[in-house]
Amino acid sequence: MVDAYVKQFELTVLPVAAQNELQLVRYEPGDVICTQGDEAEHLRFLVKGKIRVSHTSATGKRLVLSFKYPLDLIGDIEYIQRTPFLNTVEAVTSVEMLVIRFEDLVRHAHHDVAWLHYLLEEITRKFERKSQSLSFNLFYPVEVRLASYLLSMTPNDQTLGSTVDQLTDIADLIGTSYRHVNRTLRRFVEAGLIERNRRVITLVDREGLLEIVGESIYE
């Protein structure tokens, strides 16, 4: 399976010796793949599924930076800078990743020009996407951010949690207050876009939510 993914995503840019060190790791929905501030020791290639990337500020506020699909790299910046993880990454769906230790990359690929060029391109794209994501959170109204979040978090299921703790998490993640999230959800209910009880939010009109979003800002 590792070889199939290497071929599918053209990871032959890695030297063969480094390819031989790749391991396939699977994660279930809700699993934390890496946590902001933890020591980074592995580079991960997302080859199947969907992940959520969020950041926690010094004041404890969390913000969704993006949702990512294959192919995407986790740990590339940390590998270059030798820093702890900059963000927290969680599985939204079932996820598969090819994983290699930093020390194996150093041993087999650290001076490989083709690999370093590939890594530079990936990191450059990542910073461009991060800048766009932060701009969206600053300039888009809460109803757009919330609609986008609901759509992004339900790719295979129409429901997600609606407890006080879960709504507080959503508020932190999209950069607003719990009360504002609550008010916006009530408007979505009144408009027939969602149904909601104390435990579950159910999306009943995805097309209507997509009209609010225009473009899914977290994708």
Side-chain angles (χ1 to χ4, degrees):
M1 196 65 180
V2 171
D3 290 341
Y5 278 136
V6 167
K7 183 177 180 179
Q8 178 183 350
F9 293 105
E10 300 181 349
L11 296 180
T12 49
V13 67
L14 274 169
V16 173
Q19 293 178 39
N20 292 335
E21 301 290 350
L22 290 168
Q23 300 292 320
L24 182 63
V25 180
R26 295 179 173 88
Y27 301 90
E28 295 303 314
D31 284 353
V32 177
I33 297 166
C34 60
T35 301
Q36 179 180 334
D38 283 357
E39 183 178 357
E41 298 178 341
H42 299 83
L43 178 66
R44 294 171 169 87
F45 299 86
L46 174 64
V47 293
K48 182 180 179 180
K50 179 179 184 177
I51 59 176
R52 177 178 67 185
V53 182
S54 61
H55 185 81
T56 303
S57 71
T59 60
K61 291 294 183 181
R62 291 187 299 163
L63 186 67
V64 172
L65 297 179
S66 61
F67 290 85
K68 297 183 179 294
Y69 301 87
L71 177 70
D72 205 272
L73 275 62
I74 302 298
D76 45 0
I77 297 172
E78 292 83 354
Y79 169 68
I80 295 297
Q81 295 185 334
R82 288 300 191 273
T83 60
F85 283 114
L86 301 175
N87 303 307
T88 294
V89 179
E90 302 161 272
V92 176
T93 65
S94 296
V95 164
E96 293 185 358
M97 290 184 158
L98 296 182
V99 179
I100 184 171
R101 296 182 301 174
F102 286 172
E103 60 187 79
D104 291 327
L105 278 175
V106 170
R107 184 164 63 251
H108 299 304
H110 193 62
H111 298 293
D112 186 272
V113 174
W115 163 246
L116 293 177
H117 180 71
Y118 173 86
L119 200 58
L120 176 61
E121 288 185 338
E122 289 298 316
I123 291 173
T124 300
R125 280 196 290 267
K126 180 168 292 186
F127 275 113
E128 289 175 350
R129 290 194 297 266
K130 181 178 180 181
S131 177
Q132 292 169 354
S133 176
L134 291 174
S135 296
F136 279 134
N137 275 291
L138 286 172
F139 297 120
Y140 276 68
V142 168
E143 68 172 9
V144 174
R145 304 204 305 267
L146 181 56
S148 179
Y149 181 87
L150 295 177
L151 291 166
S152 293
M153 286 300 292
T154 54
N156 303 315
D157 191 355
Q158 292 296 97
T159 64
L160 68 166
S162 182
T163 65
V164 171
D165 286 345
Q166 287 167 322
L167 293 190
T168 300
D169 284 344
I170 292 174
D172 286 346
L173 287 166
I174 67 172
T176 189
S177 68
Y178 166 82
R179 289 183 179 180
H180 205 156
V181 167
N182 220 12
R183 287 195 301 270
T184 306
L185 288 174
R186 284 201 298 268
R187 290 200 295 272
F188 287 174
V189 170
E190 292 167 359
L193 301 172
I194 65 172
E195 294 176 353
R196 178 189 172 198
N197 58 38
R198 291 183 178 180
R199 300 197 64 81
V200 175
I201 298 169
T202 303
L203 277 63
V204 296
D205 185 0
R206 295 185 73 88
E207 291 301 318
L209 289 169
L210 282 167
E211 287 182 10
I212 291 174
V213 171
E215 57 179 311
S216 193
I217 65 175
Y218 292 122
E219 294 300 312

